Amino acid sequence: MAAIAAAPIEPSFDVDKLSYEIFSILESKFLFGYDDPKLFLTGTLPETEFPAEKLKSGAGKVRILCIDAGGATDGILAGKSISFLEESLRRRSGNPDARIADFFDVAAGSGAGGILAAMLFTKGKDGRPLFKAAEAVKFLAENRQKIISPSREGIFRRLFRPSNAERIFRRVFSEYTLKDTIKPVLIPCYDLSTGAPFLFSRADALETDGYDFKMRVVCLATSAHPTVVGAVEMRSVDKTTKILAVDGGVAMSNPTAAAITHVLNNKHEFPFASGVEDLLVVSLGNGESDTGMFGRRDRTPLPGELVRIAGEGVSDMVDQAVSMAFGHITTSNYVRIQANGFNTGKSPISKNHSLSDTKRLVGVAEEMLAQKNVESVLFRGKKIAEKTNAEKLDWFAGELIKEHERRKASIFPTVVLKQATPRTSSSTTSSC
């Protein structure tokens, strides 16, 4: 698969339409206060002698993991947050082999966050996730230069020779597809051929091969920075769906709202998730930079810098909207891990991806875990919480453990996952 030169295509108003559809559900929950479960249970409930209210009360909460696009730390901050969370889950559960995928029902990630989600939720030959969280962070730190750096070869050679990122993702994911993920995943990119966001989804892949993509293709699509790598052309497993993809951060830098909307509307897999009170959500940011990282203020920002600024702004707006949707239960059901106003000492599109630069980013990420957690407050912007980011993650790990243990004693299924049907050898081994 190679980068494709294409004439610039202006984004259509479909992006605004998608944003409207996402936020309309969140706003309706907050503004109109739908507390009656009957108003939300629009899907088909399992046949049972129990009333819907009793079923819902015993169903528990759907656990959602959301990971921002690379941001100012190229995904390292979110990666360190995930690694810390997984260690907390192991300690609290007493299981030294506990994985992130064991304690979440849905994972959504964009850009570098999409790569992390793919690595943590794709099922290996042993039936367990391909990577532990610490391994995924190490991989991202060691390979971020090859993943986001532009190819030095001419376009003619790129048409016949895989890029560095393609070779890396092929080595990691082999022939695995969206159907091979342990839990539902949502990973966005922006499709230039339609001028609209495209969401890679396990649920869609299980419905039809036309929406099943190889995981290496998914990671390539969501990480293809428009001003660095350029657009990449890719097809579904059965070759029927074709997209011209660029960075998921362009389409959805913070996928939290999309993940919530997916769960609340997917009654087949989440039959009792009728409102935000039925969710446990952790949203992991990658840092909001200060103006110093963009150089002098007396010059126009470079295209790559503008993409980064826009992404951070949209990510912050999503956090505000989600916080409004959760309302008074924000502190118990929704956690946002983010760090504000720091300077990594490099441009977001800097060519300085040396080992020392990576170590500096890892150090910055570790420092941010020790910072006080920044929370959105209803109608009041943001405030500094009493707990640090690390303390908030450790608390959230405890909530995940409680939900995990509750399900062992419950007769009501909180999640009813679709199962993949066996694929034919031709579809399993076909090339990108």
Side-chain angles (χ1 to χ4, degrees):
M1 190 180 308
I4 303 298
I9 299 178
E10 293 293 330
S12 73
F13 287 102
D14 289 341
V15 180
D16 294 331
K17 180 181 179 182
L18 177 67
S19 299
Y20 172 79
E21 292 174 350
I22 289 174
F23 289 115
S24 62
I25 293 179
L26 299 176
E27 290 173 349
S28 66
K29 165 60 189 170
F30 170 72
L31 293 175
F32 302 107
Y34 291 152
D35 294 320
D36 185 352
K38 294 180 181 179
L39 296 178
F40 284 101
L41 295 175
T42 56
T44 302
L45 295 175
E47 294 183 3
T48 175
E49 60 183 3
F50 296 103
E53 290 84 356
K54 188 169 184 178
L55 280 171
K56 186 175 184 299
S57 65
K61 295 179 174 63
V62 178
R63 305 161 300 182
I64 304 175
L65 170 66
C66 303
I67 316 171
D68 279 16
T73 61
D74 291 343
I76 302 299
L77 172 58
K80 293 295 291 185
S81 299
I82 293 173
S83 181
F84 181 90
L85 180 59
E86 188 172 88
E87 285 299 323
S88 294
L89 290 169
R90 287 175 181 161
R91 174 172 49 82
R92 287 175 171 270
S93 67
N95 179 5
D97 192 42
R99 305 288 184 87
I100 284 291
D102 298 333
F103 294 90
F104 283 96
D105 305 306
V106 181
S110 183
I115 297 173
L116 287 170
M119 297 175 74
L120 297 174
F121 284 80
T122 300
K123 180 169 55 179
K125 294 180 180 179
D126 61 354
R128 299 290 285 154
L130 287 176
F131 287 80
K132 297 178 181 179
E135 295 171 341
V137 177
K138 181 180 179 181
F139 168 88
L140 190 63
E142 293 178 348
N143 292 281
R144 65 191 189 91
Q145 176 184 4
K146 296 178 181 178
I147 291 174
I148 70 172
S149 293
S151 172
R152 296 181 179 179
E153 298 176 342
I155 188 171
F156 180 78
R157 297 194 68 179
R158 288 166 64 190
L159 288 172
F160 299 97
R161 177 180 296 179
S163 66
N164 289 331
E166 290 176 85
R167 287 192 289 267
I168 290 172
F169 292 142
R170 182 184 292 273
R171 184 174 68 250
V172 170
F173 296 103
S174 184
E175 299 299 312
Y176 293 122
T177 75
L178 284 166
K179 291 183 179 180
D180 295 310
T181 52
I182 295 175
K183 303 285 181 67
V185 295
L186 301 165
I187 302 177
C189 70
Y190 190 88
D191 182 14
L192 289 177
S193 62
T194 60
F198 186 93
L199 196 62
F200 296 101
S201 167
R202 176 183 183 270
D204 292 338
L206 292 177
E207 288 292 329
T208 173
D209 283 342
Y211 289 102
D212 188 23
F213 289 79
K214 293 184 178 179
M215 294 308 295
R216 63 176 187 250
V217 166
V218 173
C219 290
L220 189 64
T222 198
S223 61
H225 196 287
T227 65
V228 180
V229 179
V232 289
E233 185 182 56
M234 52 197 59
R235 293 178 181 271
S236 58
V237 170
D238 66 358
K239 308 298 182 183
T240 61
T241 304
K242 173 184 173 182
I243 61 175
L244 190 62
V246 292
D247 193 357
V250 174
M252 209 174 293
S253 57
N254 181 343
T256 306
I260 292 173
T261 303
H262 173 80
V263 170
L264 295 183
N265 284 277
N266 185 352
K267 294 302 179 184
H268 293 288
E269 294 186 300
F270 313 104
F272 304 111
S274 58
V276 292
E277 67 275 4
D278 302 316
L279 310 177
L280 278 176
V281 182
V282 60
S283 175
L284 305 179
N286 274 300
E288 292 183 352
S289 56
D290 61 20
T291 55
M293 80 174 287
F294 298 112
R296 304 193 318 270
R297 297 186 181 185
D298 59 348
R299 67 168 176 82
T300 301
L302 298 173
E305 295 171 346
L306 289 173
V307 171
R308 177 66 55 84
I309 293 170
E312 290 180 0
V314 171
S315 178
D316 192 53
M317 182 185 71
V318 170
D319 175 39
Q320 290 280 344
V322 172
S323 295
M324 289 178 64
F326 277 87
H328 67 282
I329 60 172
T330 296
T331 56
S332 60
N333 289 47
Y334 172 65
V335 173
R336 172 69 171 169
I337 302 299
Q338 182 63 298
N340 301 67
F342 72 96
N343 191 341
T344 62
K346 70 180 185 69
S347 165
I349 311 299
S350 170
K351 295 181 180 179
N352 178 22
H353 291 286
S354 64
L355 179 61
S356 61
D357 182 53
T358 297
K359 288 183 177 179
R360 182 166 58 251
L361 278 182
V362 172
V364 167
E366 292 175 346
E367 290 176 6
M368 282 191 266
L369 285 176
Q371 288 182 2
K372 293 292 183 68
N373 184 249
V374 180
E375 297 178 350
S376 293
V377 183
L378 198 59
F379 301 127
R380 298 180 185 176
K382 293 184 177 182
K383 73 172 183 178
I384 303 297
E386 295 181 359
K387 294 182 179 180
T388 65
N389 286 318
E391 290 171 338
K392 201 71 173 177
L393 284 170
D394 189 56
W395 170 84
F396 193 80
E399 296 301 302
L400 293 174
I401 295 292
K402 290 179 185 177
E403 175 61 22
H404 190 73
E405 294 301 316
R406 187 208 60 77
R407 292 186 187 185
K408 293 180 180 180
S410 176
I411 62 173
F412 304 118
T414 303
V415 179
V416 185
L417 296 181
K418 296 178 182 178
Q419 299 300 318
T421 56
R423 293 190 297 272
T424 62
S425 58
S426 60
S427 64
T428 302
T429 60
S430 59
S431 59
C432 290

